[in-house]
Coordinates of all heavy atoms in Angstrom, one line a residue:
M1 N 126.3 69.9 2.8 CA 125.6 69.2 4.0 C 124.7 68.2 3.2 O 124.0 68.5 2.3 CB 124.9 70.1 4.8 CG 124.1 69.4 5.8 SD 123.2 70.4 7.0 CE 124.3 70.3 8.4
M2 N 124.6 67.0 3.7 CA 123.7 66.0 3.1 C 122.3 66.0 3.9 O 122.3 66.3 5.1 CB 124.3 64.5 3.4 CG 125.6 64.3 2.6 SD 126.2 62.6 2.9 CE 125.0 61.5 2.2
I3 N 121.3 65.7 3.0 CA 120.0 65.7 3.6 C 119.7 64.5 4.4 O 120.4 63.5 4.0 CB 118.9 65.9 2.4 CG1 117.6 66.0 2.9 CG2 119.0 64.7 1.4 CD1 116.5 66.4 1.9
D4 N 119.0 64.5 5.4 CA 118.6 63.3 6.2 C 118.0 62.3 5.3 O 117.1 62.6 4.5 CB 117.7 63.9 7.3 CG 117.2 62.7 8.2 OD1 117.7 61.6 8.1 OD2 116.4 63.0 9.0
P5 N 118.4 61.0 5.4 CA 117.8 60.0 4.6 C 116.3 59.9 4.7 O 115.5 59.6 3.9 CB 118.5 58.7 5.1 CG 119.7 59.1 5.7 CD 119.6 60.5 6.2
F6 N 115.8 60.2 6.0 CA 114.3 60.1 6.2 C 113.6 61.2 5.3 O 112.6 60.9 4.7 CB 114.0 60.4 7.7 CG 114.4 59.2 8.6 CD1 115.7 59.4 9.3 CD2 113.6 58.2 8.8 CE1 116.0 58.4 10.2 CE2 114.0 57.1 9.7 CZ 115.3 57.2 10.4
Q7 N 114.2 62.4 5.2 CA 113.6 63.4 4.4 C 113.7 63.0 3.0 O 112.8 63.3 2.2 CB 114.3 64.8 4.7 CG 114.0 65.4 6.0 CD 114.8 66.6 6.3 OE1 115.9 66.8 5.7 NE2 114.2 67.5 7.1
Y8 N 114.8 62.5 2.5 CA 115.0 62.2 1.2 C 114.0 61.1 0.7 O 113.5 61.2 -0.3 CB 116.5 61.8 0.9 CG 116.8 61.7 -0.5 CD1 117.0 62.9 -1.4 CD2 116.8 60.5 -1.2 CE1 117.2 62.8 -2.7 CE2 117.1 60.4 -2.6 CZ 117.3 61.6 -3.3 OH 117.6 61.5 -4.6
V9 N 114.0 60.0 1.5 CA 113.1 58.9 1.2 C 111.7 59.2 1.2 O 110.9 58.7 0.5 CB 113.5 57.6 2.1 CG1 112.5 56.7 2.0 CG2 114.9 57.2 1.8
D10 N 111.4 60.2 2.0 CA 110.0 60.6 2.2 C 109.3 61.1 0.8 O 108.1 60.9 0.5 CB 109.8 61.8 3.2 CG 108.4 61.9 3.6 OD1 107.8 60.9 4.0 OD2 108.0 63.0 3.8
Q11 N 110.2 61.6 0.0 CA 109.7 62.0 -1.4 C 109.1 60.8 -2.2 O 108.5 61.0 -3.3 CB 110.7 62.7 -2.2 CG 111.8 61.9 -2.7 CD 112.9 62.7 -3.4 OE1 112.7 63.7 -4.0 NE2 114.1 62.3 -3.3
Y12 N 109.5 59.6 -1.8 CA 109.0 58.4 -2.5 C 107.8 57.8 -1.9 O 107.3 56.8 -2.4 CB 110.1 57.4 -2.6 CG 111.3 57.8 -3.5 CD1 112.4 58.4 -3.0 CD2 111.2 57.6 -5.0 CE1 113.4 58.8 -3.9 CE2 112.2 57.9 -5.8 CZ 113.4 58.6 -5.1 OH 114.4 59.0 -6.0
K13 N 107.3 58.5 -0.9 CA 106.0 57.9 -0.2 C 105.0 57.5 -1.1 O 104.4 56.4 -0.9 CB 105.6 58.9 0.8 CG 104.6 58.4 1.7 CD 104.3 59.3 2.9 CE 104.4 60.9 2.5 NZ 104.2 61.8 3.6
N14 N 104.6 58.3 -2.1 CA 103.5 58.0 -3.0 C 104.0 57.7 -4.5 O 103.2 57.7 -5.4 CB 102.5 59.1 -3.0 CG 101.9 59.4 -1.8 OD1 101.5 58.4 -1.1 ND2 101.8 60.6 -1.3
A15 N 105.2 57.3 -4.6 CA 105.8 57.0 -5.9 C 105.3 55.7 -6.4 O 104.9 54.9 -5.7 CB 107.3 57.1 -5.8
S16 N 105.4 55.5 -7.7 CA 105.1 54.2 -8.3 C 106.2 53.1 -7.8 O 107.3 53.4 -7.4 CB 105.0 54.3 -9.8 OG 106.4 54.4 -10.3
Y17 N 105.8 51.9 -8.1 CA 106.6 50.8 -7.7 C 108.0 50.8 -8.5 O 109.0 50.8 -8.0 CB 105.9 49.4 -8.1 CG 106.8 48.3 -7.8 CD1 107.0 47.8 -6.5 CD2 107.3 47.5 -8.9 CE1 107.9 46.6 -6.4 CE2 108.1 46.5 -8.7 CZ 108.4 46.0 -7.4 OH 109.1 44.9 -7.1
Q18 N 107.8 51.2 -9.9 CA 109.0 51.3 -10.6 C 109.9 52.4 -10.2 O 111.1 52.3 -10.3 CB 108.6 51.3 -12.1 CG 108.0 50.0 -12.5 CD 107.8 49.8 -14.0 OE1 108.1 50.8 -14.7 NE2 107.4 48.6 -14.5
E19 N 109.3 53.6 -9.8 CA 110.1 54.7 -9.3 C 111.0 54.4 -8.1 O 112.2 54.6 -8.0 CB 109.3 55.9 -9.1 CG 108.7 56.6 -10.4 CD 107.7 57.6 -10.0 OE1 106.9 57.5 -9.1 OE2 107.7 58.6 -10.6
I20 N 110.3 53.6 -7.2 CA 111.0 53.2 -6.0 C 112.0 52.2 -6.3 O 113.1 52.1 -5.7 CB 110.0 52.8 -5.0 CG1 109.0 53.8 -4.5 CG2 110.6 52.2 -3.7 CD1 107.8 53.5 -3.7
L21 N 111.7 51.2 -7.2 CA 112.6 50.2 -7.6 C 113.8 50.8 -8.3 O 115.0 50.3 -7.9 CB 111.9 49.3 -8.6 CG 112.6 48.1 -9.1 CD1 112.9 47.1 -7.8 CD2 111.9 47.3 -10.0
K22 N 113.7 51.9 -9.0 CA 114.9 52.6 -9.6 C 115.7 53.1 -8.5 O 116.9 53.0 -8.6 CB 114.3 53.6 -10.6 CG 115.4 54.2 -11.4 CD 114.7 55.2 -12.3 CE 115.7 55.8 -13.3 NZ 115.1 56.7 -14.3
F23 N 115.2 53.7 -7.5 CA 115.9 54.3 -6.4 C 116.6 53.3 -5.7 O 117.8 53.4 -5.4 CB 115.0 55.1 -5.6 CG 115.7 55.8 -4.3 CD1 116.7 56.6 -4.5 CD2 115.2 55.5 -3.1 CE1 117.3 57.1 -3.5 CE2 115.8 56.0 -2.0 CZ 116.9 57.0 -2.1
K24 N 115.9 52.2 -5.4 CA 116.5 50.9 -4.7 C 117.7 50.5 -5.5 O 118.8 50.3 -4.8 CB 115.5 49.9 -4.4 CG 116.0 48.7 -3.6 CD 115.6 47.3 -4.0 CE 115.7 47.1 -5.5 NZ 116.0 45.7 -5.9
N25 N 117.6 50.2 -6.7 CA 118.7 49.8 -7.5 C 119.9 50.8 -7.4 O 121.1 50.3 -7.5 CB 118.3 49.5 -8.9 CG 117.3 48.3 -9.0 OD1 117.2 47.6 -8.1 ND2 116.7 48.3 -10.2
K26 N 119.6 52.0 -7.5 CA 120.7 53.0 -7.4 C 121.5 52.9 -6.1 O 122.7 53.0 -6.0 CB 120.2 54.4 -7.6 CG 121.2 55.6 -7.4 CD 122.2 55.7 -8.5 CE 123.0 57.0 -8.4 NZ 124.3 56.8 -7.9
L27 N 120.7 52.8 -5.0 CA 121.2 52.6 -3.7 C 122.1 51.4 -3.6 O 123.4 51.5 -3.2 CB 120.2 52.5 -2.6 CG 119.3 53.8 -2.3 CD1 118.3 53.5 -1.4 CD2 120.3 54.9 -1.7
I28 N 121.7 50.3 -4.1 CA 122.4 49.1 -4.1 C 123.7 49.2 -4.9 O 124.8 48.7 -4.5 CB 121.5 47.8 -4.5 CG1 120.5 47.6 -3.3 CG2 122.4 46.5 -4.8 CD1 119.5 46.5 -3.7
S29 N 123.6 49.8 -6.0 CA 124.7 50.0 -7.0 C 125.8 50.8 -6.1 O 127.0 50.5 -6.3 CB 124.3 50.7 -8.2 OG 125.4 51.0 -9.0
D30 N 125.5 51.8 -5.5 CA 126.3 52.8 -4.8 C 126.9 52.0 -3.6 O 128.2 52.1 -3.3 CB 125.6 54.1 -4.3 CG 125.3 55.0 -5.4 OD1 125.8 54.8 -6.5 OD2 124.5 56.0 -5.2
I31 N 126.2 51.2 -2.9 CA 126.7 50.4 -1.8 C 127.7 49.4 -2.3 O 128.8 49.3 -1.7 CB 125.5 49.6 -1.1 CG1 124.6 50.7 -0.3 CG2 126.0 48.5 -0.2 CD1 123.3 50.1 0.2
R32 N 127.5 48.7 -3.4 CA 128.4 47.8 -4.0 C 129.7 48.4 -4.4 O 130.8 47.9 -4.3 CB 127.8 47.1 -5.1 CG 126.8 46.0 -4.7 CD 126.2 45.2 -6.0 NE 125.3 44.2 -5.5 CZ 124.4 43.7 -6.2 NH1 124.2 44.2 -7.4 NH2 123.6 42.7 -5.8
K33 N 129.6 49.6 -5.0 CA 130.7 50.3 -5.4 C 131.6 50.6 -4.3 O 132.8 50.4 -4.4 CB 130.3 51.6 -6.2 CG 131.5 52.4 -6.7 CD 131.1 53.6 -7.4 CE 132.3 54.4 -8.0 NZ 133.6 54.1 -7.7
F34 N 131.1 51.2 -3.1 CA 131.9 51.4 -2.0 C 132.5 50.1 -1.5 O 133.7 50.2 -1.2 CB 131.0 52.0 -0.9 CG 131.7 52.2 0.4 CD1 132.7 53.3 0.5 CD2 131.8 51.3 1.4 CE1 133.3 53.5 1.7 CE2 132.5 51.4 2.6 CZ 133.2 52.5 2.8
E35 N 131.8 49.0 -1.4 CA 132.3 47.7 -0.8 C 133.4 47.3 -1.7 O 134.4 46.7 -1.3 CB 131.2 46.8 -0.6 CG 130.2 47.1 0.5 CD 128.9 46.3 0.5 OE1 128.7 45.5 -0.5 OE2 128.2 46.6 1.4
H36 N 133.3 47.4 -3.0 CA 134.3 47.0 -4.0 C 135.5 47.8 -3.9 O 136.7 47.3 -4.1 CB 133.7 47.0 -5.4 CG 134.8 46.5 -6.3 ND1 135.5 47.5 -7.2 CD2 135.0 45.3 -6.9 CE1 136.3 46.7 -7.9 NE2 136.0 45.5 -7.8
D37 N 135.4 49.1 -3.8 CA 136.5 50.1 -3.8 C 137.1 50.4 -2.4 O 137.8 51.3 -2.2 CB 136.1 51.4 -4.5 CG 135.7 51.2 -5.9 OD1 136.2 50.2 -6.4 OD2 135.1 52.1 -6.5
Y38 N 136.6 49.6 -1.4 CA 136.9 49.9 0.0 C 138.4 50.3 0.3 O 138.5 51.3 1.0 CB 136.5 48.8 0.9 CG 136.8 49.0 2.4 CD1 136.0 49.8 3.2 CD2 137.9 48.2 2.9 CE1 136.3 50.0 4.5 CE2 138.1 48.4 4.3 CZ 137.4 49.3 5.1 OH 137.6 49.5 6.4
D39 N 139.3 49.6 -0.2 CA 140.7 49.8 0.1 C 141.4 50.8 -0.8 O 142.6 51.0 -0.7 CB 141.5 48.5 0.1 CG 141.1 47.6 1.2 OD1 140.8 48.2 2.3 OD2 141.1 46.4 1.1
R40 N 140.7 51.4 -1.6 CA 141.3 52.3 -2.7 C 142.0 53.5 -2.0 O 141.3 54.2 -1.2 CB 140.2 52.6 -3.7 CG 140.9 53.1 -5.0 CD 139.8 53.2 -6.1 NE 139.1 54.3 -5.9 CZ 137.9 54.6 -6.6 NH1 137.5 53.7 -7.4 NH2 137.4 55.7 -6.4
K41 N 143.2 53.7 -2.4 CA 143.9 54.9 -2.0 C 143.8 56.0 -3.0 O 144.7 56.2 -3.8 CB 145.4 54.6 -1.7 CG 145.6 53.5 -0.8 CD 145.4 53.9 0.7 CE 145.9 52.9 1.6 NZ 144.8 52.2 2.4
D42 N 142.6 56.6 -3.1 CA 142.3 57.7 -4.1 C 142.1 59.0 -3.4 O 141.5 59.1 -2.4 CB 141.0 57.2 -4.8 CG 140.6 58.1 -5.9 OD1 141.0 59.2 -5.9 OD2 140.0 57.4 -6.9
P43 N 142.6 60.1 -4.0 CA 142.4 61.4 -3.4 C 141.0 61.8 -3.4 O 140.6 62.6 -2.4 CB 143.1 62.3 -4.4 CG 143.8 61.5 -5.5 CD 143.4 60.1 -5.2
N44 N 140.1 61.1 -4.1 CA 138.7 61.4 -4.0 C 138.1 61.0 -2.6 O 137.1 61.4 -2.2 CB 137.9 60.8 -5.1 CG 138.1 61.3 -6.4 OD1 138.4 62.5 -6.5 ND2 138.1 60.5 -7.4
W45 N 138.8 60.1 -1.9 CA 138.3 59.7 -0.5 C 138.6 60.7 0.5 O 138.1 60.5 1.6 CB 139.1 58.3 -0.2 CG 138.5 57.2 -0.9 CD1 138.5 57.0 -2.3 CD2 137.7 56.1 -0.4 NE1 137.9 55.8 -2.6 CE2 137.4 55.4 -1.5 CE3 137.3 55.8 0.8 CZ2 136.6 54.2 -1.3 CZ3 136.6 54.7 1.0 CH2 136.3 53.9 0.0
R46 N 139.2 61.8 0.1 CA 139.5 62.8 1.0 C 138.4 64.0 0.9 O 138.7 65.0 1.4 CB 140.9 63.4 0.9 CG 141.9 62.4 1.2 CD 143.3 63.0 1.2 NE 144.2 61.8 1.1 CZ 145.0 61.6 0.0 NH1 144.9 62.3 -1.0 NH2 145.7 60.5 0.0
V47 N 137.4 63.8 0.3 CA 136.4 64.8 0.1 C 135.4 64.7 1.3 O 135.4 63.8 2.1 CB 135.4 64.5 -1.1 CG1 136.2 64.6 -2.4 CG2 134.8 63.2 -1.0
C48 N 134.6 65.7 1.5 CA 133.7 65.9 2.6 C 132.3 66.1 2.1 O 132.1 67.0 1.4 CB 134.2 67.0 3.6 SG 133.2 67.0 5.1
P49 N 131.4 65.2 2.5 CA 131.4 64.0 3.3 C 132.2 63.0 2.6 O 132.2 62.8 1.3 CB 130.0 63.7 3.6 CG 129.2 64.3 2.5 CD 129.9 65.5 2.0
S50 N 132.8 62.2 3.3 CA 133.7 61.1 2.8 C 132.8 59.9 2.2 O 131.7 59.8 2.6 CB 134.7 60.6 3.9 OG 133.9 59.9 4.9
P51 N 133.5 59.1 1.4 CA 132.6 57.9 0.9 C 132.0 57.0 2.0 O 130.9 56.4 1.7 CB 133.7 57.1 0.1 CG 134.7 58.2 -0.3 CD 134.8 59.1 0.9
D52 N 132.7 56.9 3.1 CA 132.0 56.1 4.1 C 130.8 56.6 4.6 O 129.9 55.9 5.1 CB 133.1 55.6 5.3 CG 133.7 56.9 6.0 OD1 133.9 57.9 5.3 OD2 133.8 56.8 7.2
V53 N 130.7 58.0 4.7 CA 129.5 58.6 5.2 C 128.4 58.4 4.1 O 127.3 58.1 4.4 CB 129.8 60.1 5.4 CG1 128.4 60.9 5.6 CG2 130.7 60.4 6.5
Y54 N 128.7 58.5 2.8 CA 127.7 58.2 1.8 C 127.3 56.7 1.9 O 126.1 56.4 1.7 CB 128.3 58.4 0.4 CG 128.4 59.8 -0.1 CD1 129.5 60.6 -0.2 CD2 127.1 60.5 -0.4 CE1 129.5 61.9 -0.5 CE2 127.1 61.8 -0.7 CZ 128.3 62.5 -0.9 OH 128.3 63.8 -1.3
Y55 N 128.2 55.9 2.2 CA 127.9 54.4 2.3 C 126.9 54.2 3.5 O 125.8 53.6 3.3 CB 129.1 53.7 2.7 CG 129.0 52.2 3.0 CD1 128.6 51.3 1.9 CD2 129.2 51.6 4.2 CE1 128.5 50.0 2.1 CE2 129.1 50.3 4.4 CZ 128.7 49.4 3.4 OH 128.6 48.1 3.6
Q56 N 127.1 54.8 4.6 CA 126.2 54.8 5.8 C 124.9 55.4 5.4 O 123.9 54.7 5.7 CB 126.8 55.5 7.0 CG 128.0 54.7 7.5 CD 128.7 55.6 8.6 OE1 128.5 56.7 8.8 NE2 129.8 55.0 9.2
W57 N 124.9 56.5 4.7 CA 123.6 57.1 4.3 C 122.8 56.2 3.4 O 121.7 56.0 3.5 CB 124.0 58.4 3.6 CG 122.7 59.3 3.3 CD1 122.3 60.3 4.0 CD2 121.9 59.2 2.1 NE1 121.2 60.9 3.4 CE2 120.9 60.1 2.2 CE3 121.8 58.2 1.0 CZ2 119.9 60.4 1.3 CZ3 120.8 58.5 0.1 CH2 119.9 59.5 0.2
N58 N 123.5 55.6 2.4 CA 122.9 54.6 1.5 C 122.2 53.4 2.1 O 121.2 53.0 1.8 CB 123.8 54.2 0.3 CG 124.2 55.3 -0.6 OD1 123.3 56.1 -0.8 ND2 125.3 55.2 -1.3
L59 N 123.0 52.9 3.2 CA 122.5 51.8 3.9 C 121.3 52.2 4.7 O 120.4 51.4 4.7 CB 123.5 51.2 4.9 CG 124.8 50.6 4.3 CD1 125.7 50.2 5.4 CD2 124.4 49.3 3.7
E60 N 121.2 53.3 5.4 CA 120.1 53.8 6.0 C 118.9 54.0 5.1 O 117.8 53.6 5.4 CB 120.4 55.1 6.8 CG 119.2 55.5 7.6 CD 119.6 56.0 9.0 OE1 120.8 56.0 9.2 OE2 118.7 56.5 9.6
A61 N 119.2 54.7 3.9 CA 118.0 54.9 3.0 C 117.5 53.6 2.4 O 116.3 53.5 2.3 CB 118.6 55.7 1.8
L62 N 118.4 52.6 2.2 CA 118.0 51.3 1.8 C 117.0 50.7 2.7 O 116.0 50.1 2.4 CB 119.1 50.3 1.4 CG 118.8 49.1 0.9 CD1 118.0 49.1 -0.5 CD2 120.1 48.2 0.7
G63 N 117.3 50.7 4.0 CA 116.3 50.2 4.9 C 115.1 50.9 5.1 O 114.0 50.4 5.4
L64 N 115.0 52.2 4.7 CA 113.8 53.0 4.8 C 113.0 52.7 3.6 O 111.7 52.8 3.6 CB 114.2 54.5 4.9 CG 114.8 54.9 6.2 CD1 115.4 56.4 6.1 CD2 113.9 54.7 7.4
I65 N 113.6 52.5 2.4 CA 112.9 52.3 1.1 C 112.3 51.0 0.9 O 111.2 50.9 0.3 CB 113.8 52.7 0.0 CG1 113.0 53.2 -1.3 CG2 114.7 51.6 -0.5 CD1 112.5 54.6 -1.2
A66 N 112.8 50.0 1.7 CA 112.3 48.6 1.5 C 110.8 48.5 1.9 O 110.0 47.9 1.1 CB 113.1 47.6 2.4
P67 N 110.4 49.0 3.0 CA 108.9 48.9 3.3 C 108.1 49.7 2.2 O 106.9 49.3 1.9 CB 108.7 49.6 4.6 CG 110.0 49.6 5.2 CD 111.0 49.7 4.1
M68 N 108.5 50.8 1.7 CA 107.9 51.6 0.7 C 107.7 50.8 -0.6 O 106.6 50.8 -1.2 CB 108.6 53.0 0.4 CG 108.6 53.9 1.6 SD 109.6 55.2 1.1 CE 108.6 56.6 2.0
L69 N 108.8 50.0 -0.9 CA 108.7 49.2 -2.2 C 107.6 48.2 -2.0 O 106.8 47.9 -2.9 CB 110.1 48.6 -2.4 CG 110.3 47.8 -3.6 CD1 110.1 48.8 -4.8 CD2 111.7 47.3 -3.6
S70 N 107.6 47.5 -0.8 CA 106.6 46.6 -0.5 C 105.2 47.1 -0.6 O 104.2 46.5 -1.2 CB 106.8 46.0 0.9 OG 105.8 45.0 1.2
E71 N 105.0 48.3 0.0 CA 103.7 49.0 -0.1 C 103.3 49.3 -1.5 O 102.2 49.1 -1.9 CB 103.7 50.2 0.9 CG 103.7 49.9 2.3 CD 104.0 51.2 3.1 OE1 103.8 52.3 2.6 OE2 104.4 51.1 4.2
A72 N 104.2 49.7 -2.3 CA 103.9 50.1 -3.6 C 103.5 48.9 -4.4 O 102.7 48.9 -5.3 CB 105.1 50.9 -4.3
F73 N 104.3 47.7 -4.3 CA 103.9 46.5 -4.9 C 102.5 46.0 -4.5 O 101.8 45.7 -5.4 CB 105.0 45.4 -4.5 CG 104.6 44.1 -5.1 CD1 105.0 43.8 -6.4 CD2 104.0 43.1 -4.4 CE1 104.8 42.6 -7.1 CE2 103.6 41.9 -5.0 CZ 104.1 41.6 -6.3
N74 N 102.2 46.1 -3.2 CA 100.8 45.7 -2.9 C 99.8 46.6 -3.5 O 98.7 46.2 -3.9 CB 100.7 45.7 -1.4 CG 101.5 44.5 -0.7 OD1 101.7 43.5 -1.4 ND2 101.9 44.7 0.4
R75 N 100.1 48.0 -3.5 CA 99.1 48.9 -4.0 C 98.9 48.8 -5.5 O 97.8 48.8 -5.9 CB 99.7 50.3 -3.7 CG 98.8 51.4 -4.1 CD 99.4 52.8 -3.8 NE 100.7 53.1 -4.5 CZ 101.8 53.4 -3.9 NH1 101.9 53.3 -2.6 NH2 102.9 53.6 -4.6
E76 N 99.9 48.4 -6.2 CA 99.8 48.3 -7.7 C 99.5 46.9 -8.2 O 98.7 46.7 -9.1 CB 101.1 48.9 -8.4 CG 101.3 50.3 -8.1 CD 102.6 50.9 -8.8 OE1 103.0 50.1 -9.7 OE2 103.1 51.9 -8.5
Y77 N 100.1 45.9 -7.6 CA 99.9 44.6 -8.1 C 98.9 43.7 -7.3 O 98.3 42.8 -7.9 CB 101.2 43.8 -8.2 CG 102.2 44.5 -9.3 CD1 103.1 45.3 -9.0 CD2 101.9 44.0 -10.7 CE1 103.8 45.9 -10.0 CE2 102.7 44.5 -11.7 CZ 103.6 45.5 -11.4 OH 104.5 46.0 -12.4
E78 N 98.8 43.9 -6.1 CA 98.0 43.1 -5.3 C 96.5 43.7 -5.2 O 95.5 43.0 -5.3 CB 98.4 42.9 -3.9 CG 99.7 42.1 -3.7 CD 99.6 40.7 -4.2 OE1 98.5 40.0 -4.0 OE2 100.5 40.1 -4.8
S79 N 96.3 45.0 -5.1 CA 95.0 45.6 -4.8 C 94.8 46.7 -5.9 O 93.8 47.4 -5.8 CB 94.9 46.1 -3.4 OG 95.9 47.1 -3.2
G80 N 95.7 46.8 -6.9 CA 95.6 47.9 -7.9 C 95.0 47.3 -9.2 O 94.5 46.3 -9.2
E81 N 95.2 48.2 -10.3 CA 94.7 47.8 -11.5 C 95.5 46.7 -12.2 O 95.1 46.0 -13.1 CB 94.5 48.9 -12.4 CG 95.9 49.6 -12.9 CD 96.2 50.8 -12.1 OE1 95.5 51.3 -11.2 OE2 97.2 51.3 -12.5
K82 N 96.7 46.5 -11.7 CA 97.6 45.5 -12.4 C 97.4 44.2 -11.5 O 96.9 44.3 -10.5 CB 99.1 45.9 -12.3 CG 99.4 47.2 -13.0 CD 100.8 47.6 -12.9 CE 101.2 48.9 -13.6 NZ 102.5 49.2 -13.5
N83 N 97.8 43.1 -12.1 CA 97.8 41.9 -11.3 C 99.2 41.3 -11.3 O 100.0 41.6 -12.1 CB 96.7 40.9 -11.8 CG 97.0 40.4 -13.2 OD1 98.0 40.0 -13.6 ND2 95.9 40.5 -14.0
T84 N 99.5 40.3 -10.5 CA 100.7 39.8 -10.4 C 101.2 39.0 -11.7 O 102.4 38.8 -11.9 CB 100.9 38.7 -9.2 OG1 99.8 37.8 -9.2 CG2 100.7 39.5 -7.8
F85 N 100.2 38.7 -12.6 CA 100.6 38.1 -13.9 C 101.3 39.0 -14.7 O 102.1 38.7 -15.6 CB 99.4 37.4 -14.5 CG 98.8 36.3 -13.8 CD1 97.5 36.5 -13.3 CD2 99.4 35.1 -13.7 CE1 96.9 35.6 -12.5 CE2 98.8 34.2 -13.0 CZ 97.5 34.3 -12.3
D86 N 101.0 40.4 -14.5 CA 101.7 41.4 -15.3 C 103.1 41.7 -14.8 O 103.9 42.4 -15.6 CB 100.9 42.7 -15.2 CG 99.5 42.6 -15.8 OD1 99.4 41.8 -16.8 OD2 98.6 43.3 -15.4
Y87 N 103.5 41.3 -13.7 CA 104.7 41.7 -13.0 C 105.9 41.3 -13.9 O 106.8 42.1 -14.1 CB 104.8 41.1 -11.6 CG 106.1 41.5 -10.9 CD1 106.1 42.8 -10.4 CD2 107.1 40.6 -10.7 CE1 107.4 43.1 -9.7 CE2 108.2 41.0 -10.1 CZ 108.4 42.3 -9.6 OH 109.6 42.7 -9.0
G88 N 105.9 40.1 -14.3 CA 107.1 39.5 -15.1 C 107.3 40.4 -16.4 O 108.4 40.8 -16.7
K89 N 106.3 40.7 -17.0 CA 106.3 41.5 -18.3 C 106.7 42.9 -17.9 O 107.6 43.4 -18.6 CB 104.9 41.5 -19.0 CG 104.9 42.3 -20.2 CD 103.5 42.3 -20.8 CE 102.3 42.9 -19.9 NZ 101.9 44.1 -20.0
D90 N 106.2 43.4 -16.9 CA 106.5 44.9 -16.4 C 108.0 44.9 -16.1 O 108.7 45.8 -16.5 CB 105.8 45.3 -15.3 CG 104.2 45.6 -15.7 OD1 104.0 45.5 -16.9 OD2 103.5 45.7 -14.7
M91 N 108.6 43.9 -15.4 CA 110.0 43.9 -15.1 C 110.9 43.7 -16.2 O 112.0 44.4 -16.4 CB 110.3 42.9 -13.9 CG 109.6 43.1 -12.6 SD 110.1 44.8 -11.9 CE 108.9 45.9 -12.4
K92 N 110.5 42.9 -17.2 CA 111.3 42.7 -18.4 C 111.4 44.2 -19.1 O 112.4 44.5 -19.6 CB 110.7 41.7 -19.3 CG 111.0 40.3 -18.8 CD 110.3 39.2 -19.7 CE 110.5 37.9 -19.1 NZ 109.8 36.8 -19.8
E93 N 110.3 44.7 -19.2 CA 110.3 46.1 -19.8 C 111.2 47.2 -19.0 O 111.9 47.9 -19.6 CB 108.9 46.6 -19.9 CG 108.1 46.0 -21.1 CD 108.7 46.2 -22.4 OE1 109.1 47.3 -22.7 OE2 108.8 45.2 -23.2
F94 N 111.0 47.1 -17.7 CA 111.7 48.0 -16.8 C 113.2 47.8 -16.9 O 113.9 48.8 -17.1 CB 111.3 47.8 -15.3 CG 112.1 48.5 -14.4 CD1 111.8 49.9 -14.1 CD2 113.1 47.9 -13.6 CE1 112.4 50.6 -13.2 CE2 113.8 48.7 -12.7 CZ 113.4 50.0 -12.5
Y95 N 113.7 46.6 -17.0 CA 115.2 46.4 -17.1 C 115.7 46.5 -18.5 O 116.9 46.5 -18.7 CB 115.5 45.0 -16.4 CG 115.5 45.1 -14.9 CD1 114.5 44.6 -14.2 CD2 116.5 45.9 -14.3 CE1 114.4 44.6 -12.8 CE2 116.4 45.9 -12.9 CZ 115.5 45.4 -12.2 OH 115.4 45.6 -10.9
K96 N 114.9 46.6 -19.5 CA 115.3 46.9 -20.9 C 115.8 48.4 -21.0 O 116.5 48.6 -21.8 CB 114.2 46.7 -21.8 CG 114.1 45.3 -22.2 CD 113.0 45.1 -23.3 CE 112.6 43.7 -23.7 NZ 111.6 43.7 -24.7
K97 N 115.2 49.2 -20.1 CA 115.5 50.7 -20.2 C 117.0 50.9 -19.8 O 117.7 50.4 -19.1 CB 114.6 51.5 -19.3 CG 113.2 51.3 -19.7 CD 112.2 52.0 -18.8 CE 110.8 51.8 -19.2 NZ 109.8 52.4 -18.3

């Protein structure tokens, strides 16, 4: 049984911007994979829950995580110890990993 997206996303409520960004990127990657493989006739598509259920779950979680990402950005870069000038450097380091 899959956990409710609301419950799963709730664990990121106080996470750092980069932790939430990592989760968002994973969701988008999974969404793209489903959209790319949509017509595939693979026996893995007969699993339960099916890939379309995961797709719907990912879409819902993405919608829930977006406001959290915005809040974390504001918390860390707008009103936190970092400033928006650090953002570019931080993102270059983040995507090197």
